[in-house]
Every structure is written in structure tokens, then in C-alpha cells.
Amino acid sequence: MKRAYYSNKIQDFLLEPESSILGKLTANHSNRTLEELQINAWKKQIDILKDQLKAFNGKIYFEFSIPRMGKRVDNIVIINDVAFIIEFKVGDGGYEKHAIDQVIDYTIDLKNFHEGSHHIKLIPILVATNAVNYTETITDTISYKTAAKSNQYNISKTLKDFINPKNQPIDIAYWENSIYKPTPTIIEAAQALYKGHNVQEITRSDSGTINLSRTADCINFIIEKSKSNKIKSICFVTGVPGAGKTLAGLNIAVERMKADEDEHAVFLSGNGPLVDVLREALTRDEVITAKESGKKITKKEAAIKANAFIQNIHHFRDDNLLSNKAPIEKVVVFDEAQRAWTKNQVSSFMKRKKGVEDFNMSEPEFLIDVMNRHSEWCTIVCLIGGGQEINTGEAGLGEWIDSLNNHFPDWDIHYSNLILENNNYIKSEESKEWLIEKGICETELHLAVSVRSFRSEKLSLFIHELLNVQIEESKNIYLEIKESYPIVITRNLDKAKQWLRKKAKGSERIGLISSSGARRLRPLGIDVKNEISAPNWFLNNNQDIRSSYFLEEVATEFDIQGLEIDWACVAWGGNFYMNNTDWKYQSFKGTKWQNINKEIDKEYLKNTYRVLLTRARQGMVLFVPESSDIDYTRPKDFYDKTFEYLKKIGITEIE
């Protein structure tokens, strides 16, 4: 795929007429409505670069694609041992922070996801054409604490500051043809799919991994088979934390909408914060995209469209309580289906909130029953995260299997091989045996590799061993991942925050997260009972005090499950602490801690920490507080042994 609108050797670019360069740029530019504004910007860039690049040999690119971000960087110039990532702000008289972050983001994206850029020197440069001369510290630029700054007259000098003629030149042919393997956040992915990009453009497809494309192909085949043979089918898509289950679901919903509008494919999630964040992200992006295209759309109009694409599962449930007719949807994707409620939980809710006295179905049974109203065919796609049930009354995969066994024996069932191999999914041997006899095993329905933590695909395994107190296994995995995925520990919250701020570059998102049961972190300024606005926390920029960047508001497992940030501080609470050789489980009621004795509630709490410890894409700091001599709710036992255990595994303490 051609990544740039225009590319040429620098010396040939200098000789090529402006009209020819503009013609090539215009031919590749899809947006005609901004043509005059864009052409004027290109004319200025061409004029400046022709003047400033006379002394150099190498290659130049205009409008180089950064697919994960859905953006294009103005210029990339490769000279000797350096690739310069250049963003122009034509007419600007100052070096604005948002522009600095923008060019750093482009640079980091290439460094992380473009194979040819992994091991070369990439330098971000912000060119504000009318700004004053400004010399930035070279070490700060190389480490991406900031970008090099230039005006239209001193680009040449800025380039020379970073070029070392003694170093091995970049292999430009190899760089150009290198694979781009992005791992977008779910927010970025949703925006890209919504705009019409396909999943292959925005995700990695390394050989040896069961990637999203193969999973999509498998589900599409099952849907088409169901349609042709007039049968009802259900697919259980599983995966490790961060493997892209939600992305797989969004992709299927989009693909089926394109394949046949009459299927009315819909993406449903019971995760309120996820729904709110994705809807708001799509709404904001739609408004911005329309503005850039010279069109006008109100935020309200954009929101109506986004809300139709992503819906809350509880609204779907409630709508179908009012009618016994088959729903319009033939293909339904249920995100985080393991969080659907047990019969007792939904019965209690219906009685208290809906005035329905005799409701006697679990949520999985009711949702299947709704789709079973179709006279011919339908397909349910359940996205299941094993070991991620975190709330009272969440049924897990077992309830879906039991519902099919007891009430819907004629449905075709397709499941991944991991469901039988891993006890995180189904605990009942009887249910496993029934599934083996009745279902069809599909290896493509398990997403085996985490793409959230692109720096270390073994993070989820490390957290699994850590939570299961497998010390030697945890030690060995930590040694493998610690260079590519930094994990550190501290007992000082200020140090933890400093570490995050130092690690994050450009607009990489940092945040403070903790268990909703960690109530006695409040004396330290971490109040888990204070509800956040998830869209503000996840989407607002680093100038907004409500955003995650300010490290003031804490997100709990309920806010962040299904989402992710780049760098996290996980604040460890007294509700889950190491007691000699195993974990101690507690909840805080009134003025004191109470032991958690039910195994299911212990499992929920352990899964809470599993969720928290797998939210960061690039690294995390674990904050284990000191005890208090005057506060009986924060004794040494609750913290010291946890800290010692994490240190024993090998996790490095911040000095």
C-alpha cells in the first residue's frame, strides 16, 4: 500500500516543478472540499523545503499515513542516519503544546508500530513558520520529552543538529517496505471502523497469531451458514485480557451492516462506561471529521448516529420485555457476555426496578429466548472474558451453556477450544461434557495474544501467575518482560505520579486506578467512592482537570473494564492483601473490615485485580501504601506482606 501522497529523492524533489508536485498530491487527496486551503499549505511547505533542503541527500515524503491514528504527518525526511517527522503549522507564530504533542504522537506511533522504525533515530520537528528561533535541548528531543522547534528559516540548521555522518545510513528501501503493525486502543479502533476502515488496516497480523481477521472470517461463515440453512446459532468468542474481543465484536457488527442491512446487526454492551466513552468518542470524532471536510453536523446529530451503532444491552433487554415479537435484529453481538446476570440477580432487579413479580430467567436465558422468537434464522455472538466476572450476580459463561442445555437444545453452538482447557470459563464438568457432545469447537474463536500490551504479549500470563501465587513462574516471566514492559513498585504516591509523568510522551494517557473496595485509600486522597465521568476521564486532554492526566480522580474496575490507558498507577487496597502464603479477601462495612468467606465473592475480588493489572498498554507502577499507627483500619499486615511479595517476584522499587 502506498503510504505517502508524494515521495521522491530530495535532489529530484528540488528540481521537480511545483505544479508537478502539487498535481501528484492533489491526485491522491480524497477531500476536494478543502482543496484550496490544502493546496495553499502545500505550496508553502514545498517552497520552504526546496529552500531548506538544498544541502542534503536522502528522501522526502508528503502526507505520510499513520493508520492507527487515522492521520497523515505533513512530511517525513530521511537523511543519512535520521528520519525526521515534520509537522508544519503554516502562519503560526508560536510553538503550541497541542502541536508539539501531535508530532511526538506521530513519531512514537512509528517507533512502536512500524517495523522499519523500531531501531532507527526518529526526530520530531514542529515547524511554526512565523515563530522566533528556539533551540531545544537535544537530549529532550531524542527522548521525546519535547519536539525540536523550527521556523521556516532554520530547518536546515535544526536537521544538522541531529545528523551524524559517521553513523550507518538508514536503508531507505527497507524502511519504505517495512510492515506497519498497529495495535489501536478500542477507542481508536471504534473510530476507524466507524469511518469505514477495515480491521486489516488498523490491526497487526503477525504470523503465528490467531488474528482478528481469521476470527471475523470464522464468524461470518457461521452467520452465512445459519442464514442459508435457516438455523439459529451462537458463537462464544474468548480471549486473554486485551486480545481485542470488543474490537472483534465491533468489526463483526460493522461487517454485517455492510453485508446485509436487513440483518440489522447491532453491538450491545452492558458495560455502561464503555458504551458512554465509545459513543462520546465517535460523536466528537464525527463532528471534527465533518468540520475538516467543510461540512457541518451538530453534536446532537452525530450522537444519534453513534447511539444507534453502539447500544446498551439493558435497553435491548427492557425493550423486548414489552413485546413477545421477534426483534428486528438478526445478528446480535453481546460484549462481555460473562457479565450477564444470574436468575436471582435479574429476578431481584425486575421486582425492585420494573415491578415484574414473577421473572424467573437468568439474563443469558432471556437474551437467547428473545432471539429464539425468530421463525427462521439468527446468530448471537458472545464475547467472553475468562476470569473477568467482577460483580455480584454476574453469571459467567457457565450460565449461557446451562441455558442452552436446558431450554434451547436445537441451537448450533460454536465455541473456542480454550473454553474446555481453562477452568476460568466453565467450572462444571457436566456442562463441559454436554458442550463437547453438542457444540462445534473452533480454534479461530479464541484470541490468544494480548494486543493491548503491545510491548509485552506475556503480561496477562504474568498477572495470572502473580494472582495465583506462583512465585517462580512469576519471577521468570517478569525477567522476560521487564525491559519491554516496565513494572515498578513504590510506597510513595507522589513518586508513583512522578514516574507516570516521566514515562508518558506526547499525549500518551496516564491514569490512577484502584479497586472499588479499596475504601481506606481515602486518607491518601484516593476516594474510590467518588464517581467519575468516564468520557471526561478517558477522552479529555491533559489541560482538563477532569481527565485522567491530572491523577486526581481514580477510575475503578467498573470504569475501566474493556478500556485501556498507556501508563497506569494501580493503587493497592487493604481489601486484597498477601497473608503469608495466600491472599486475604476483605470488604469494608461501616467502620471496619469484614472477611469475605464465599468462594464466588473471593473470585470476584481476585478478578477485580486481574482487570486492574491488565489495563496499561505500556507499563505500570504499583502503589502499596504505608500503614498507619493512628488508623486501626490500616494496619501493617494489610500492606507490608503484599509489598514484600511483589518485591520477591522481582518487581523493582522506585528509588
Side-chain angles (χ1 to χ4, degrees):
M1 185 179 74
K2 194 174 181 182
R3 290 204 180 97
Y5 285 174
Y6 170 89
S7 62
N8 208 342
K9 292 178 180 177
I10 289 174
Q11 291 302 314
D12 292 339
F13 160 74
L14 296 175
L15 297 173
E16 187 172 353
E18 178 192 87
S19 59
S20 171
I21 298 169
L22 282 173
K24 292 171 185 175
L25 286 167
T26 305
N28 286 308
H29 193 253
S30 58
N31 186 349
R32 304 298 179 193
T33 57
L34 285 182
E35 195 169 300
E36 186 177 352
L37 180 64
Q38 184 63 75
I39 285 177
N40 287 337
W42 282 333
K43 282 181 177 178
K44 188 70 174 175
Q45 286 171 234
I46 293 166
D47 183 51
I48 292 169
L49 290 170
K50 277 180 175 283
D51 176 64
Q52 292 292 306
L53 296 180
K54 290 174 182 174
F56 301 103
N57 287 300
K59 195 149 187 184
I60 185 170
Y61 306 82
F62 277 72
E63 302 291 339
F64 191 92
S65 175
I66 310 289
R68 183 181 72 97
M69 301 172 68
K71 304 285 186 182
R72 288 183 176 272
V73 61
D74 286 339
N75 298 100
I76 294 180
V77 176
I78 299 179
I79 302 170
N80 201 61
D81 62 324
V82 187
F84 295 97
I85 316 303
I86 304 175
E87 187 65 19
F88 273 84
K89 297 300 176 186
V90 175
D92 280 14
Y95 305 104
E96 301 294 337
K97 187 179 187 308
H98 72 88
I100 295 168
D101 287 345
Q102 181 184 8
V103 71
I104 291 173
D105 288 346
Y106 291 154
T107 307
I108 291 173
D109 193 278
L110 286 168
K111 175 66 78 175
N112 288 337
F113 305 120
H114 181 242
E115 205 166 64
S117 298
H118 289 340
H119 306 295
I120 65 172
K121 194 192 299 182
L122 298 174
I123 298 298
I125 300 179
L126 173 61
V127 179
T129 55
N130 295 341
V132 298
N133 288 354
Y134 190 100
T135 303
E136 195 60 74
T137 307
I138 288 178
T139 53
D140 284 351
T141 305
I142 290 173
S143 63
Y144 308 142
K145 288 180 181 177
T146 190
K149 299 172 179 66
S150 176
N151 57 39
Q152 60 185 309
Y153 304 111
N154 65 349
I155 295 173
S156 177
K157 177 185 179 303
T158 303
L159 300 181
K160 288 175 183 176
D161 288 342
F162 295 95
I163 297 167
N164 187 341
K166 296 179 182 178
N167 288 344
Q168 181 74 24
I170 292 170
D171 183 335
I172 294 176
Y174 168 76
W175 185 87
E176 275 188 357
N177 294 303
S178 290
I179 300 169
Y180 180 82
K181 299 188 292 189
T183 56
T185 67
I186 191 59
I187 294 169
E188 292 166 338
Q191 290 170 331
L193 291 171
Y194 196 59
K195 284 179 176 176
H197 294 281
N198 62 50
V199 77
Q200 289 89 346
E201 289 177 318
I202 61 169
T203 58
R204 59 194 293 175
S205 54
D206 305 28
S207 59
T209 67
I210 297 174
N211 61 70
L212 290 158
S213 300
R214 287 175 59 189
T215 301
D217 290 345
C218 179
I219 296 172
N220 279 320
F221 177 79
I222 292 166
I223 293 171
E224 292 298 337
K225 180 184 171 187
S226 300
K227 204 171 180 179
S228 301
N229 298 333
K230 294 182 170 55
I231 56 178
K232 294 163 186 171
S233 59
I234 188 166
C235 307
F236 293 106
V237 179
T238 61
V240 299
K245 295 181 291 295
T246 301
L247 172 56
L250 287 166
N251 183 50
I252 284 296
V254 171
E255 286 196 4
R256 298 317 302 178
M257 284 166 63
K258 291 178 184 174
D260 186 349
E261 289 184 5
D262 291 337
E263 290 177 10
H264 296 283
V266 64
F267 179 87
L268 301 171
S269 175
N271 182 337
L274 176 72
V275 171
D276 291 345
V277 169
L278 291 183
R279 282 176 163 182
E280 179 68 14
L282 296 182
T283 299
R284 293 184 187 185
D285 196 52
E286 178 91 349
V287 172
I288 292 169
T289 302
K291 186 177 180 182
E292 289 173 350
S293 303
K295 300 172 186 174
K296 188 172 182 180
I297 182 172
T298 66
K299 189 173 182 183
K300 186 176 181 180
E301 289 169 334
I304 290 170
K305 185 179 170 187
N307 293 355
F309 178 61
I310 296 170
Q311 296 183 30
N312 192 304
I313 195 171
H314 301 307
H315 297 162
F316 178 85
R317 178 198 65 199
D318 294 348
D319 286 346
N320 286 288
L321 272 172
L322 303 174
S323 168
N324 290 322
K325 292 181 179 179
I328 193 171
E329 296 87 0
K330 291 286 190 71
V331 176
V332 175
V333 180
F334 291 138
D335 190 30
E336 293 186 29
Q338 80 279 359
R339 297 184 69 182
W341 289 347
T342 61
K343 182 164 72 172
N344 288 342
Q345 184 75 4
V346 74
S347 176
S348 172
F349 174 83
M350 289 296 179
K351 191 172 184 178
R352 287 181 291 107
K353 300 290 187 180
K354 302 294 179 182
V356 179
E357 293 288 336
D358 55 351
F359 196 88
N360 63 352
M361 286 189 276
S362 68
E363 202 164 32
E365 182 185 341
F366 178 68
L367 294 170
I368 300 171
D369 184 66
V370 167
M371 295 303 288
N372 197 51
R373 297 171 188 172
H374 285 290
S375 58
E376 292 186 343
W377 77 278
C378 66
T379 299
I380 295 174
V381 180
C382 290
L383 311 176
I384 304 280
Q388 291 192 61
E389 300 84 19
I390 60 175
N391 205 358
T392 302
E394 291 182 358
L397 175 57
E399 182 60 37
W400 288 90
I401 301 302
D402 290 346
S403 297
L404 289 161
N405 183 4
N406 295 325
H407 304 287
F408 309 100
D410 296 332
W411 279 57
D412 273 15
I413 304 167
H414 302 263
Y415 65 92
S416 81
N417 55 316
L418 261 288
I419 283 176
L420 299 177
E421 296 172 16
N422 190 322
N423 284 331
N424 274 337
Y425 294 107
I426 303 177
K427 302 194 187 314
S428 163
E429 289 301 320
E430 185 181 339
S431 295
K432 286 183 182 179
E433 289 171 11
W434 181 84
L435 188 59
I436 291 169
E437 181 183 344
K438 171 66 179 173
I440 302 163
C441 183
E442 312 270 11
T443 56
E444 288 84 0
L445 293 182
H446 181 71
L447 297 162
V449 177
S450 173
V451 293
R452 173 184 299 123
S453 310
F454 61 89
R455 291 190 180 279
S456 175
E457 294 171 348
K458 290 192 174 180
L459 175 68
S460 60
L461 179 60
F462 170 65
I463 298 305
H464 177 77
E465 301 293 3
L466 181 153
L467 291 175
N468 287 339
V469 199
Q470 300 297 314
I471 295 174
E472 290 307 313
E473 289 85 347
S474 300
K475 277 183 179 179
N476 292 336
I477 301 169
Y478 178 74
L479 287 173
E480 287 184 55
I481 71 174
K482 68 176 186 177
E483 294 302 321
S484 58
Y485 186 94
I487 304 175
V488 295
I489 190 170
T490 184
R491 309 202 74 170
N492 184 303
L493 184 57
D494 286 336
K495 283 187 178 180
K497 291 180 177 181
Q498 288 168 11
W499 186 86
L500 285 184
R501 291 182 175 121
K502 185 178 178 182
K503 284 291 182 184
K505 312 298 182 194
S507 62
E508 288 178 341
R509 187 164 290 276
I510 61 177
L512 178 62
I513 61 178
S514 187
S515 162
S516 60
R519 297 289 176 84
R520 295 309 297 151
L521 291 173
R522 190 170 64 176
L524 306 173
I526 301 174
D527 187 359
V528 296
K529 287 191 73 177
N530 184 40
E531 291 187 8
I532 67 168
S533 162
N536 289 337
W537 198 87
F538 281 101
L539 300 176
N540 292 9
N541 64 30
N542 55 19
Q543 302 302 299
D544 191 318
I545 60 170
R546 299 166 298 175
S547 74
S548 66
Y549 292 107
F550 268 73
L551 303 176
E552 289 183 6
E553 295 190 334
V554 58
T556 70
E557 69 274 19
F558 300 115
D559 300 311
I560 204 166
Q561 188 178 39
L563 292 159
E564 63 259 301
I565 55 179
D566 291 295
W567 302 89
C569 171
V570 180
W572 211 285
N575 59 331
F576 184 72
Y577 68 92
M578 181 53 61
N579 183 22
N580 295 323
T581 59
D582 208 349
W583 298 107
K584 181 81 172 175
Y585 303 80
Q586 298 191 127
S587 62
F588 194 76
K589 305 287 185 184
T591 60
K592 61 183 180 180
W593 291 99
Q594 296 179 359
N595 291 334
I596 294 175
N597 296 315
K598 286 184 180 179
E599 288 303 315
I600 186 68
D601 292 334
K602 288 182 179 180
E603 196 68 23
Y604 288 147
L605 184 50
K606 182 185 281 190
N607 287 342
T608 288
Y609 278 81
R610 190 190 312 278
V611 167
L612 295 171
L613 293 166
T614 53
R615 293 306 98 187
R617 286 163 59 84
Q618 301 200 50
M620 62 181 158
V621 52
L622 308 179
F623 166 57
V624 181
E626 297 280 5
S627 56
S628 170
D629 293 332
I630 61 170
D631 183 351
Y632 65 91
T633 68
R634 294 186 289 141
K636 290 176 70 68
D637 286 352
F638 290 6
Y639 306 105
D640 289 5
K641 288 178 182 176
T642 301
F643 183 76
E644 290 163 12
Y645 169 65
L646 296 170
K647 288 266 289 181
K648 188 174 183 180
I649 288 170
I651 299 175
T652 308
E653 185 176 2
I654 298 175
E655 293 180 2

